[in-house]
Each structure stands twice: as C-alpha cells, then as structure tokens.
Amino acid sequence: MYAVDSLTVIPHRAVFSLIIINKAGGLIYQREFQPGLNKLSTNDYLVLAGTFHGVHAITRSLTPKLPSAPTTASATSGTSTPTPAGPAAYSYPNLGLPPSGLEVLETDKFRLTCFQTLTGTKFLLFTDPLMTNVDAVIKKIYELFADYVLKNPFYQLEMPVRCEAFDRHLVGWLRGRA
C-alpha cells in the first residue's frame, strides 16, 4: 500500500500518513506526509477506515481471559490443574485495563500504530518500521488534535476535520523532528 518509487529516499524516522477514525468507524481525517507514496482514492480511505474499525472491534473481543483462580493438586495424579470456580475466575491479562484490540501491525515496508482515545476516536499512524518512539509521536499528534480541533468552537464532534491550524501545526511539528 505504501510502496515508494526507486528515486524517493525516506528517512528512517518518517511518518508516512495519518488517518483519524471516529467512534462509529467513519473517516474524519487523512493526510500523507511523504512524497512518492502510492496514492489511494478517497473511497479507498473510507473503506480502509471502516475495515480497520471492524477488525479492531473483533480483535478487542478476542482478548483472552486467563484463569485467575489458584491451581489445586489432583488427589489421584498429584499434578496441578486449574480449577475455575465459575465465570468470575477468569480475568483479562492486564487487570484494570479494558481489552484494547489491534494496536500495531508491522510489515517490512511500514508499521501501522493505532491509538484509541477514551472517547473511541482512533488515530492510525503509518510510519517507517524502524522508527522509534512511535507512541510519543502519536500522543503528540493527539495533543495537537485536542488543542486545535477539539477546542475549536466551530468543530462538531464525529464530523470531518477541516482545521488549517491543526494541519499547519501538525506538519510543522513533524518536519521539526526529521
């Protein structure tokens, strides 16, 4: 999807693209940051946003619940086996945190990182697979989104983002870190 032609050189700290999806799975923002990427149509981005939203929901429901009850020794064999005491005897691996769904998808050409806010908005960041500190970058992007989009009195939640100040500060910040 993000193949680069043979003449384009992309630094290893490159952010290729950003997609923001609302809690209903609709595409509300899309921006490419590197020249030479294969272009997708608007319809392709809409399909990508909806598909990712569905896959994220499915992977969230697939988070395994692990036995939380202590094991007991079997009287006949002397081996330990888990004996769950009912449905409450299982819990998610990270207590106190809800299941998160798909967070990172990595190939040899790009890494897709998903950051989901508490309101259900998803930030999908496509980066070079060798890029470090992706979590810090995506959280800074969320901070810029909160400052320039969510604090804008004319922005309606869940609607497409059309905010020049957000675009300008986002591009400026990403260029400053290259």
Side-chain angles (χ1 to χ4, degrees), residues 117-135:
T117 68
L118 293 175
T119 60
T121 303
K122 294 174 195 68
F123 289 74
L124 306 181
L125 192 65
F126 292 84
T127 62
D128 183 281
L130 300 176
M131 183 174 157
T132 58
N133 298 327
V134 176
D135 290 337

Side-chain angles (χ1 to χ4, degrees), residues 29 31 148-149 152 161-172:
Y29 184 83
R31 176 88 188 246
Y148 295 102
V149 177
N152 181 343
V161 174
R162 290 180 176 74
C163 181
E164 290 180 28
F166 174 63
D167 284 335
R168 190 172 52 252
H169 284 88
L170 177 63
V171 170

Side-chain angles (χ1 to χ4, degrees), residues 45-84:
Y45 279 111
L46 291 169
V47 170
L48 177 63
T51 301
F52 184 85
H53 180 73
V55 169
H56 189 271
I58 290 168
T59 58
R60 183 177 177 175
S61 68
L62 291 176
T63 300
K65 288 186 176 181
L66 303 175
S68 59
T71 59
T72 58
S74 172
T76 57
S77 66
T79 61
S80 307
T81 57
T83 55

Side-chain angles (χ1 to χ4, degrees), residues 2-116:
Y2 283 97
V4 179
D5 63 33
S6 61
L7 301 176
T8 305
V9 177
I10 296 179
H12 288 296
R13 293 177 41 181
V15 172
F16 297 145
S17 182
L18 171 67
I19 296 174
I20 303 176
I21 304 171
N22 66 19
K23 67 181 175 185
L27 178 69
I28 61 172
Y29 184 83
Q30 181 279 318
R31 176 88 188 246
E32 294 173 356
F33 301 104
Q34 295 294 328
L37 300 175
N38 288 337
K39 301 295 181 199
L40 296 178
S41 69
T42 303
N43 191 48
D44 290 337
Y45 279 111
L46 291 169
V47 170
L48 177 63
T51 301
F52 184 85
H53 180 73
V55 169
H56 189 271
I58 290 168
T59 58
R60 183 177 177 175
S61 68
L62 291 176
T63 300
K65 288 186 176 181
L66 303 175
S68 59
T71 59
T72 58
S74 172
T76 57
S77 66
T79 61
S80 307
T81 57
T83 55
Y90 291 91
S91 66
Y92 291 114
N94 296 324
L95 295 175
L97 296 175
S100 61
L102 181 63
E103 292 180 353
V104 177
L105 175 69
E106 190 168 331
T107 72
D108 60 338
K109 303 288 183 204
F110 70 92
R111 177 188 302 140
L112 165 69
T113 305
C114 176
F115 171 71
Q116 182 172 353

